[in-house]
Amino acid sequence: MTRIGNSDQILRLLRAQLERADKANRSKKKDAAGRTDEVRERPLDRVRSLASIDTMEEEDLRRAVVRGLLAERFGEAITNDAAFQGIAKDVTRMIEETPEGRALIDRAVASLRVEPRSP
């Protein structure tokens, strides 16, 4: 039987959270499609903009992706909490400690660099 370590559990939880957030965002987009209100830029849209800047260090970009994912999932208000930066740094470190986690973040960064911006 295969053992599931802490890092595997963290990755699975992160993936599950991201899938739920993606489903929620899709339904929000459908609901907001008819609105003419000004829409604020989502955290991941800002990270996508950062990813297009070639001068940004890879490590900083990976941290920005994690911060953006956390902000997407838990709301932007959390980013105003002083402890958030430390938590985001710890989450990034835990994910990067495994080859699978590192590859996951690298794929996320690569996809943000090539994905077109959402309207």
Side-chain angles (χ1 to χ4, degrees), residues 9-93:
Q9 291 173 341
I10 291 168
L11 288 174
R12 287 181 183 183
L13 288 172
L14 181 61
R15 284 182 184 144
Q17 293 292 342
L18 293 175
E19 287 172 5
R20 282 194 292 271
D22 186 46
K23 287 178 186 176
N25 286 334
R26 284 187 206 152
S27 66
K28 286 180 187 177
K29 284 181 183 178
K30 287 179 185 175
D31 292 342
R35 295 183 194 164
T36 57
D37 300 345
E38 183 178 324
V39 178
R40 291 185 63 190
E41 191 175 37
R42 294 176 35 209
L44 286 179
D45 290 334
R46 289 191 295 275
V47 174
R48 186 173 288 112
S49 296
L50 288 173
S52 68
I53 302 172
D54 290 332
T55 59
M56 189 168 186
E57 296 288 329
E58 285 293 315
E59 184 177 336
D60 293 335
L61 190 52
R62 286 192 298 272
R63 277 195 300 263
V65 167
V66 172
R67 283 192 306 266
L69 290 170
L70 292 171
E72 285 276 328
R73 175 62 183 107
F74 298 110
E76 283 192 74
I78 195 171
T79 62
N80 295 327
D81 188 330
F84 176 75
Q85 295 304 320
I87 291 169
K89 183 178 177 181
D90 289 343
V91 169
T92 304
R93 180 186 46 76

